Amino acid sequence: MRITLHVNGVPRSAEAEPRVLLSDFLRGELGLPGTHVGCEHGVCGACTVLLDDRPVRSCLMLAATADGHHVTTVEGLAEEAALSPVQQAFGECHGLQCGFCTPGFLTTVTAFLEAHPKPTDEEILDAVSGNLCRCTGYQNIVKAVRRASELMES
Amino acid sequence: MKPPQFGYTAAADLDEALEALAATGGKVLAGGQSLIPLLNMRLADPGHLVDINRIPALDAVAAQADGVRVGALARHFQALESDEAAAVQPLLRQALRHVAHPAIRNRGTVVGSIVHADPAAELPAVLALTGGTVTLRGREGERALSAEEFFLGPMESAIGPAEIAREVFFPALPERSGTAFHELARRKGDFAMAGAAALVTLDADLACTAARLVCVGTGAVPEVIDLSGLCRGWLSTSDWSAAAEAVRERIEPEDDIHATADYRRHLAGVLAARALSEAAANAEARA
Ligand SMILES: Cc1cc2nc3c(=O)[nH]c(=O)nc-3n(C[C@H](O)[C@H](O)[C@H](O)COP(=O)(O)OP(=O)(O)OC[C@H]3O[C@@H](n4cnc5c(N)ncnc54)[C@H](O)[C@@H]3O)c2cc1C
Ligand code: FES
Ligand code: FES
């Protein structure tokens, strides 16, 4: 079947079987490998994208169900050539090491800070509780979220 | 980790979805947060999926004086964020806070959580404790089932193969009553090792007249435990630990990789006492 998504503001279409997951459609059919695939059952959060501005697991959604919707992937976060405040903060605070989990954190945190511009530490922990990182130990990720909130304010 | 092949119908309305279910013997795809993991792991191979996500007007969370009606496409986050729903039946929000993570709650549906009938899930307990109903639509018409009629076993419900759960109804909190939900999970957002939902009603002197409880993760189906006899006359500040003992005697938890049966039994008692006294305090605050 033919599936059309608005990905990072651009309409993109491709053919795919109904069983193709949104994660695989983005990576394979549309050539956007920024969305990472870890567990493929909703636990790790690496594949998180924004569907109509809300974070969702792209490994738990059929591309067919997403037909016609707006999807933002990590590739769509930077504004022109400049990193977004969230991306910049993750770099500054060493919120990543290997980077495997990072696309999922960046999309999740971007949507979270839109809704909670001045979050408490407890709210930050809740917001990232569904994203696993095997490298950083999370401390610098929490710092990066705080820093991103500062950057967005200024 | 890819789904097996299946036929696919993106139904435009309930009638089309019901026809497709009857014609193919397939399964309903709602939020996909339980079904797609099962497909990815090839634990399910339904042959045909009837995607209901495009059916209009199924996504309401309607709070009225008699209770909260949640349509088949209302996502967890909608019910969680609805202040109107929380005012009419606070247990809904208290429980939803414990369901998975924000990204799962953005897709998962309240109705899907009920139909999935996972004994470790929070919402089936809420349906049982509030005395709610599930409305099932078939080609011949609709029927409404209570929690007791609906939940038959772990992951097993009374829904027919060609029926769609159109709506669930959570009755409003009665007068001078309060609720609370407590659970313990290994990691935030995981399914709980044990949990307890409590509903307490007070008399005019703020003493307990009715106390009911449903445990999560400690039995095949959500079972309402009536502790009204034991707790009659207790205040929110009373020592509720005798209720914990009574709960431990009633439940039959099982061992699994996450916790032993004994630990679950202990935990359920602790959480039950906590939920009951908090529910009493919440009832007092509303009285
Ligand atoms: C990482 C992770 C953590 C989770 N943690 C929790 C948790 O802590 N607590 C919890 O309760 N759940 C948890 N879940 C499960 C989640 O809540 C699911 O969203 C929910 O159980 C199912 O709702 P759904 O809309 O996604 O249903 P789907 O996955 O689409 O469907 C589930 C089942 O119900 C059937 N079904 C769904 N809707 C209907 C309908 N309207 N009519 C007829 N049949 C229907 C489907 O055919 C399928 O068999 C978790 C899931 C993940 C991936
Ligand atoms: S790959 Fe989707 S949550 Fe892990
Ligand atoms: S940076 Fe390696 S998993 Fe998070």
Side-chain angles (χ1 to χ4, degrees), chain B residues 65-67 86-91 130 170-179 198-201 282-283 286:
Chain B
D66 63 338
V88 172
Q89 182 42 269
L91 186 58
T130 58
F170 301 97
L173 186 62
E175 292 258 292
R176 284 205 294 272
S177 301
T179 56
L199 172 59
V200 171
T201 304
N282 288 339
R286 288 175 88 243

Side-chain angles (χ1 to χ4, degrees), chain A residues 1 17-19 21 24 39-42 51 54-57 59-62 64-67 126 129-130, chain B residues 1-6 8 29 31-33 36-37 40-42 51 53-54 77 81 101 103-104 106-107 188:
Chain A
M1 59 189 290
E17 280 182 80
R19 66 167 167 159
L21 301 170
D24 291 330
C39 67
E40 296 191 291
H41 61 279
L51 180 86
R54 290 191 159 264
V56 303
R57 303 293 201 233
C59 73
L60 296 189
M61 186 166 186
L62 302 178
T65 307
D67 189 28
D126 187 46
S129 67
Chain B
M1 292 289 286
K2 307 294 171 201
Q5 286 184 314
F6 49 76
Y8 178 73
L29 174 65
Q33 304 302 290
I36 296 190
N40 287 355
M41 293 188 271
R42 304 262 171 138
D51 188 338
N53 283 282
R54 283 172 207 285
F77 85 89
E81 288 175 6
H101 312 287
I104 308 290
N106 282 339
R107 290 298 301 162
K188 186 156 191 1

Side-chain angles (χ1 to χ4, degrees), chain A residues 39 41-44 57 60 130, chain B residues 14 21 26-38 49-50 52-53 58 71-76 95-96 98-101 104-105 107-118 120-124 135-137 150 155 157 159-160 163-167 183 185 188-192 216:
Chain A
C39 67
H41 61 279
V43 174
C44 75
R57 303 293 201 233
L60 296 189
Chain B
L14 271 176
L21 278 180
K27 267 202 159 303
V28 172
L29 174 65
Q33 304 302 290
S34 293
L35 183 53
I36 296 190
L38 294 174
L49 287 189
V50 178
I52 61 170
N53 283 282
L58 278 184
L73 283 181
R75 316 285 166 182
H76 292 138
L96 276 161
H98 296 282
V99 176
H101 312 287
I104 308 290
R105 296 196 296 256
R107 290 298 301 162
T109 65
V110 170
V111 174
S113 282
I114 303 253
V115 176
H116 194 57
D118 190 320
E122 292 81 0
L123 294 174
T135 300
L136 303 176
R137 165 83 65 97
F150 188 72
M155 315 281 189
S157 80
I159 192 166
E163 280 183 315
I164 292 177
R166 183 179 60 76
E167 176 179 279
E183 69 171 44
K188 186 156 191 1
D190 278 13
F191 281 103
V216 168

